[in-house]
Amino acid sequence: MGIDNIASVILEKLRNIAQTDTIVGKPIVVDNVTLIPVSKVSVGFGLGSNTGKSELAGSGGGLSVEPIAFIVVSEGNARIMSLTREKDVFGKAIDMVPEVLSLLKKDK
């Protein structure tokens, strides 16, 4: 198998693993609360080849999935529950959604 084919196979496999469902998980409903898991996906891989007399090729890759937060939906309100120490920009933006919506309603 040529290096181009190896690269295509690796990229396709990584694409299948790192789909949207992996990053934003399936909602979990408990009583009247919906929890939506959010994860960070990191992907890396490398390829090598030699076009000299002996045809050498090599490949390697890795993938990590780290849960970072839950989106909590309860009584029509959504907020982010971060699993990391500091709230990231995404979390701050989600927390501001109700405030922004109320401002938009006032303008009408």
Side-chain angles (χ1 to χ4, degrees):
M1 180 181 280
I3 196 77
D4 292 340
N5 290 340
I6 292 171
S8 294
V9 170
I10 290 173
L11 287 173
E12 185 61 33
K13 297 289 183 186
L14 291 174
R15 185 178 303 129
N16 288 337
I17 292 170
Q19 293 182 15
T20 304
D21 290 345
T22 306
I23 298 166
V24 179
K26 294 181 181 179
I28 303 163
V29 179
V30 180
D31 295 328
N32 295 329
V33 178
T34 301
L35 301 171
I36 304 168
V38 180
S39 298
K40 177 175 86 172
V41 176
S42 300
V43 178
F45 77 98
L47 298 170
S49 183
N50 182 358
T51 57
K53 291 182 180 179
S54 60
E55 291 187 28
L56 303 174
S59 66
L63 176 118
S64 77
V65 179
E66 177 186 356
I68 58 169
F70 284 99
I71 298 172
V72 181
V73 182
S74 176
E75 298 177 8
N77 295 314
R79 63 185 176 90
I80 190 126
M81 185 173 73
S82 180
L83 300 176
T84 60
R85 290 184 181 208
E86 291 186 28
K87 199 174 274 189
D88 57 5
V89 173
F90 177 72
K92 290 177 184 175
I94 292 293
D95 285 346
M96 291 176 61
V97 168
E99 183 179 335
V100 171
L101 289 176
S102 69
L103 289 173
L104 291 173
K105 288 178 185 177
K106 287 180 185 178
D107 288 342
K108 288 186 178 182

